[in-house]
Amino acid sequence: MTRPIIIENARIVDPASGLDAMGALHVENGRIANVATNGGKNLPEGVERIDARGLILAPGLIDMRVFTGEPGHEYRETLATASAAAAAGGVTSFVLMPDALPVIDDGALVDFLIRRAQATASVNVLPAAAITKGLRGEEITEFGLLKEAGAVCYTDGRHSIQSSGLLRAAFSYAANFDMPIVHHLADHGLVGEGVMNEGYFASVLGLKGIPPEAETVPLARDLQLALATGVRYHAAQISTANSVALMAEAKKRSASISCGVSINNLALNENDVGAYRTFFKLSPPLRSEDDRRAMVHGLREGTIDVIHSDHDPQDSEVKRQPFAEASDGATGLETLLAAALRLVHSGEADLMTVLRAMTQRPAEILGLPSGRLTVGAPADFILLDLDYPWQVSEKDMRSRSHNSSFEGARLAGKVMATYVAGAKVFSHG
Amino acid sequence: MAGPSPASAQHDESAQSGMPVFSKRHLLGIAELSPYEILDLLDRAEKMVPVSRQERKTLPTLSGKTQINLFFEPSTRTQGSFEIAGKRLGAQVMNMSVRTSSVTKGETLIDTAATLNAMRPDVIVVRHSASGAVHLLSQKVGCSVINAGDGAHEHPTQALLDALTIRRHKGRLNGLTVAICGDIANSRVARSNLLLLGALQIRTRVIAPKTLLPRGIENMATEVFTDMREGLAGADVVMMLRLQHERAAGRMIPSVREYYRFYGLDEEKLAFAKPDAIVMHPGPMNRGVEIDPAIADGPRSVITDQVEMGVAVRMAVLDALLQDRNEQTP
């Protein structure tokens, strides 16, 4: 068990309580013992004090969408390297997608991952279990046993289930166990051979387009099924303006419906593909600037609940390919927060809104005690220098793969220290 | 616009006064060329036409140079045209046809690029089924690269030979209306032609059913028609595209016979174009799918001239990329 500490002289920002004030945080037994904004009158003597020198103290981030290569593709990423990247990015918990070899569709595998993470990872690894066996979209997995083993939600990761009947059954059955279903949206027939956002830029590059309906058609179906079954439904990641409108409408009718957006779709657009740059080949694809703005608007309005990294390490063998033949995905754990702060620095969204989408909301959706700075909560928090300027460079990255969609980008805002259960797992410099 | 349009400057004296140095190292697409570079290449090609009509069809300009034709997609005519062009300039030409399964395509591309580069060629001519593949390969080699067609992206020498053919038949480019008809969505020929004609401020139209039009085409400085008669009205040039009917039938169009009825070039539809309109096709043709055989082989067809101009254009491009670079480096 870690020693008690007091972090003082910090700007404490906690979306869950709405707190934004100078103060001190008292940590004991890995949990938050006190949040003091009254000049430290109630803080005990004789406890180690750390001067935050005015840095922001915020809850550690909860990243709802992370892929690694463990088990099966450890050369891309392990739980250890992913968690080192997470700690450096201020992410204290991440949801691990079931897309592994073997697929995480069995209680024993969830149990393995939890043990493996305890042995090797410095942050909290929260395994998600597959909705369907082998991610094949044919038969549902053992939801109850997977929950007992410690899975935090059900998702088919980067796969999208095509059968409406199967989804209806999965939603109904998941509702029994009061567990969230997280679903990636891609209609195979509408995606077709598409590899980037459909439109002028794809046409100029001679690349086949993915129309927005490839997302909105399955989203509309999912929302109707979610309302009918009462499941806790989370649309994994939306990318089009029409999806925001569909979500806003559905959320008026149910509080158990939510959605996320990848940082890529918030901070980048289709122009970034440039001359066939495969690090910007993503699913969903980077959309138009109008769509990106709709994402920001949806975030501000609360229609979009969660920002995640969609961290997806891929090696150069599958990325240095002609665009259409390259794999989807980009790493993002280390740049998630700083890239999101772009919205704050540009005035598109305020700090509390951006942090809420990476702390309080994911915690609420997943039913976690973390993601907030309240007494008794796990002492998972970060110290953040809001304006620290830095340039993303693959040689500084802790992730084992170097397919960052922000390579070379100049960002402002860096995590100076990360604490998990009161223990420092990262410090800058 | 205050100054003369680039197209009106096409017959200036630069053709007589010796060629300026061509500054590009690769020819990856028309998009990277300025209007003046396009006209420069056309003028260079014009001078190459007589070479192929001589009894001894050779120039020594590329002697001692090595040209590799790297074709990941089979193409008899383009590969043959590049081979003849290189040989007429005295280059050593090696043909490599790489058969690929779709799974290993990209792997083969990068690996092959590194292997060929080690053999120190002066130019690699590349055709690949994936858009952007030639661009990627050009980053991995130390020699000039010519795009001989990449996916649905670009086919720059085809657009140049088309422009040269039009200019020789019409005596000019500016003031003409060029109608491009067929599978625009999947055609690199259409893209390169729209870029080239657009750069020279020449009026273009595209004609196709909506399923064969790419999104955003209306922003590519062209007029869009789904009715062939309307699209052909008053056109000086009718450019037909090959329909990949094995792929399109049942998905993008219901059948070949319906396509031919509404988008095939027959006498009745051609009558809407100008009486002296010429008919072009990049080949290989599907007679009876996109074009009536009688028109393809008739007096208004300039299709075989296109093949001849293809050799001249490729000689000019090889010459411009290779010879002038050497003159630059002492």
Side-chain angles (χ1 to χ4, degrees):
Chain A
M1 196 49 71
T2 57
R3 284 176 304 152
I5 47 168
I6 292 169
I7 314 273
E8 59 186 0
N9 193 21
R11 176 184 164 194
I12 297 180
V13 180
D14 178 34
S17 61
L19 180 67
D20 182 352
M22 293 303 292
L25 186 81
H26 177 202
V27 174
E28 216 171 68
N29 296 328
R31 296 191 173 272
I32 294 170
N34 196 1
V35 184
T37 52
N38 53 6
K41 291 189 198 88
N42 306 333
L43 294 172
E45 297 296 320
V47 173
E48 182 191 351
R49 292 190 176 230
I50 296 165
D51 184 358
R53 288 182 292 182
L55 293 175
I56 288 174
L57 192 161
L61 310 186
I62 301 167
D63 189 338
M64 280 188 69
R65 191 172 175 86
V66 169
F67 299 86
T68 75
E70 187 170 355
H73 297 285
E74 285 82 358
Y75 59 92
R76 288 182 187 159
E77 193 89 287
T78 61
L79 297 181
T81 57
S83 75
V91 174
T92 51
S93 301
F94 64 79
V95 178
L96 182 65
M97 293 293 105
D99 310 49
L101 201 64
V103 170
I104 309 307
D105 59 2
D106 186 285
L109 292 164
V110 172
D111 184 60
F112 160 77
L113 280 175
I114 290 170
R115 287 166 193 274
R116 183 77 185 145
Q118 276 167 356
T120 65
S122 54
V123 304
N124 304 304
V125 176
L126 312 171
I131 300 170
T132 65
K133 290 178 186 163
L135 303 174
R136 284 187 298 271
E138 291 164 2
E139 301 164 78
I140 59 172
T141 54
E142 296 162 323
F143 285 3
L145 295 175
L146 288 161
K147 181 184 182 182
E148 279 184 1
V152 294
C153 64
Y154 311 117
T155 179
D156 267 6
R158 56 172 79 86
H159 296 254
S160 191
I161 296 168
Q162 302 296 298
S163 162
S164 306
L166 184 72
L167 277 169
R168 190 168 186 272
F171 287 13
S172 305
Y173 194 67
N176 289 338
F177 297 99
D178 191 30
M179 283 274 280
I181 290 261
V182 179
H183 195 214
H184 178 66
L185 301 162
D187 181 285
H188 291 175
L190 290 168
V191 171
E193 294 173 337
V195 293
M196 75 173 282
N197 186 39
E198 183 178 81
Y200 174 76
F201 291 101
S203 294
V204 165
L205 292 169
L207 295 173
K208 291 218 163 60
I210 301 172
E213 304 84 60
E215 174 175 300
T216 54
V217 168
L219 177 61
R221 171 203 59 196
D222 279 15
L223 292 172
Q224 289 180 51
L225 294 175
L227 290 169
T229 57
V231 71
R232 287 162 58 194
Y233 174 79
H234 182 74
Q237 38 189 6
I238 64 170
S239 66
T240 78
N242 280 338
S243 297
V244 179
L246 286 168
M247 282 302 307
E249 203 47 44
K251 289 179 90 166
K252 284 185 204 158
R253 297 170 58 189
S254 167
S256 52
I257 288 173
S258 59
C259 72
V261 64
S262 158
I263 185 61
N264 297 310
N265 292 101
L266 265 184
L268 306 170
N269 67 27
E270 61 185 342
N271 295 287
D272 289 295
V273 170
Y276 305 102
R277 286 151 53 168
T278 57
F279 288 8
F280 298 90
K281 183 167 188 263
L282 304 166
S283 175
L286 295 176
R287 298 285 187 184
S288 70
E289 176 60 9
D290 286 347
D291 287 315
R292 189 196 70 82
R293 287 179 192 204
M295 295 302 111
V296 176
H297 184 75
L299 177 71
R300 273 200 310 262
E301 300 288 304
T303 307
I304 294 177
D305 301 86
V306 170
I307 305 171
H308 60 234
S309 69
D310 195 20
H311 181 81
D312 194 355
Q314 300 287 341
D315 56 285
S316 61
E317 191 75 359
V318 295
K319 272 295 188 186
R320 298 205 194 283
Q321 297 270 12
F323 196 86
E325 294 163 15
S327 296
D328 294 334
T331 56
L333 276 167
E334 283 165 89
T335 48
L336 170 65
L337 178 55
L341 289 176
R342 267 190 179 177
L343 303 178
V344 176
H345 293 302
S346 69
E348 290 179 280
D350 61 45
L351 179 64
M352 202 64 97
T353 301
V354 166
L355 287 179
R356 178 176 293 117
M358 297 184 285
T359 57
Q360 179 195 350
R361 288 302 290 140
E364 287 168 353
I365 289 163
L366 296 168
L368 304 174
S370 54
R372 54 183 69 92
L373 299 177
T374 47
V375 174
D380 297 349
F381 60 93
I382 58 173
L383 293 175
L384 167 68
D385 183 338
L386 191 58
D387 298 309
Y388 187 94
W390 59 294
Q391 187 171 15
V392 181
S393 169
E394 66 173 46
K395 62 181 195 298
D396 302 330
M397 295 297 205
R398 286 150 189 85
S399 177
R400 189 165 278 181
S401 291
H402 295 299
N403 54 312
S404 169
S405 50
F406 291 93
E407 174 65 20
R410 289 171 193 283
L411 300 172
K414 201 158 198 357
V415 173
M416 292 293 139
T418 303
Y419 291 79
V420 173
K424 193 192 268 191
V425 293
F426 168 79
S427 81
H428 174 70
Chain B
M1 249 187 82
S5 78
S8 69
Q10 60 196 324
H11 283 317
D12 67 10
E13 45 287 302
S14 73
Q16 280 77 44
S17 63
M19 296 295 172
V21 171
F22 192 80
S23 63
K24 296 276 193 305
R25 181 182 177 199
H26 306 302
L27 179 64
L28 302 180
I30 297 294
E32 292 147 32
L33 300 180
S34 71
Y36 297 97
E37 285 170 325
I38 291 168
L39 292 170
D40 177 30
L41 287 173
L42 293 181
D43 291 341
R44 288 168 187 265
E46 194 78 61
K47 288 173 141 186
M48 292 295 181
V49 175
V51 176
S52 294
R53 293 180 177 179
Q54 293 163 189
E55 199 172 332
R56 291 182 182 278
K57 302 174 176 60
T58 54
L59 285 179
T61 54
L62 298 192
S63 82
K65 308 241 171 178
T66 305
Q67 170 190 338
I68 297 177
N69 294 336
L70 178 59
F71 278 62
F72 292 88
E73 227 183 37
S75 158
T76 316
R77 70 175 58 208
T78 305
Q79 186 168 339
S81 181
F82 269 108
E83 181 176 358
I84 286 179
K87 285 181 170 165
R88 286 187 180 161
L89 295 175
Q92 312 254 347
V93 183
M94 176 200 154
N95 286 311
M96 263 194 80
S97 300
V98 186
R99 290 190 194 288
T100 55
S101 75
S102 61
V103 183
T104 58
K105 240 176 230 168
E107 206 172 48
T108 310
L109 173 71
I110 300 288
D111 294 348
T112 312
T115 307
L116 293 182
N117 191 48
M119 301 181 195
R120 304 185 72 84
D122 298 284
V123 60
I124 305 181
V125 179
V126 190
R127 156 138 333 164
H128 199 284
S129 59
S131 300
V134 181
H135 191 276
L136 179 65
L137 185 137
S138 73
Q139 298 165 355
K140 308 283 172 192
V141 296
C143 65
S144 287
V145 172
I146 298 174
N147 183 356
D150 66 321
H153 178 225
E154 280 235 45
H155 191 358
T157 56
Q158 179 71 42
L160 287 164
L161 76 88
D162 286 341
L164 184 63
T165 307
I166 296 170
R167 195 168 83 172
R168 287 172 62 94
H169 275 274
K170 293 290 176 188
R172 65 194 166 102
L173 285 173
N174 58 323
L176 299 178
T177 298
V178 179
I180 306 174
C181 183
D183 185 0
I184 310 289
N186 296 302
S187 176
R188 52 194 172 218
V189 175
R191 275 177 187 68
S192 286
N193 266 301
L194 288 174
L195 287 166
L196 188 150
L197 298 169
L200 301 184
Q201 299 173 15
I202 291 152
R203 189 173 176 193
T204 58
R205 298 171 178 173
V206 294
I207 310 165
K210 259 197 133 168
T211 45
L212 297 179
L213 285 169
R215 282 283 175 101
I217 180 76
E218 59 285 351
N219 298 326
M220 291 188 192
T222 188
E223 295 170 74
V224 182
F225 293 87
T226 52
D227 182 293
M228 197 160 175
R229 290 169 188 82
E230 287 172 22
L232 289 185
D236 297 284
V237 177
V238 181
M239 205 180 267
M240 300 304 298
L241 298 174
R242 177 181 170 81
L243 180 76
Q244 296 231 316
H245 57 278
E246 309 85 353
R247 273 174 60 90
R251 284 176 59 90
M252 299 311 191
I253 55 159
S255 69
V256 164
R257 70 173 189 176
E258 173 146 324
Y259 183 78
Y260 184 72
R261 172 76 180 77
F262 292 96
Y263 297 97
L265 187 66
D266 54 20
E267 288 294 350
E268 188 258 323
K269 296 189 199 88
L270 183 56
F272 285 81
K274 280 197 184 151
D276 64 346
I278 55 171
V279 174
M280 305 177 76
H281 194 296
M285 270 182 286
N286 297 305
R287 287 185 166 82
V289 176
E290 67 255 356
I291 191 164
D292 180 342
I295 293 175
D297 305 323
R300 298 164 83 174
S301 164
V302 299
I303 294 168
T304 51
D305 294 356
Q306 287 174 273
V307 178
E308 184 186 357
M309 292 311 117
V311 175
V313 157
R314 284 156 189 143
M315 287 170 76
V317 168
L318 286 165
D319 188 55
L321 291 179
L322 295 187
Q323 197 189 32
D324 292 336
R325 270 169 56 75
N326 254 26
E327 284 167 8
Q328 276 174 290
T329 42

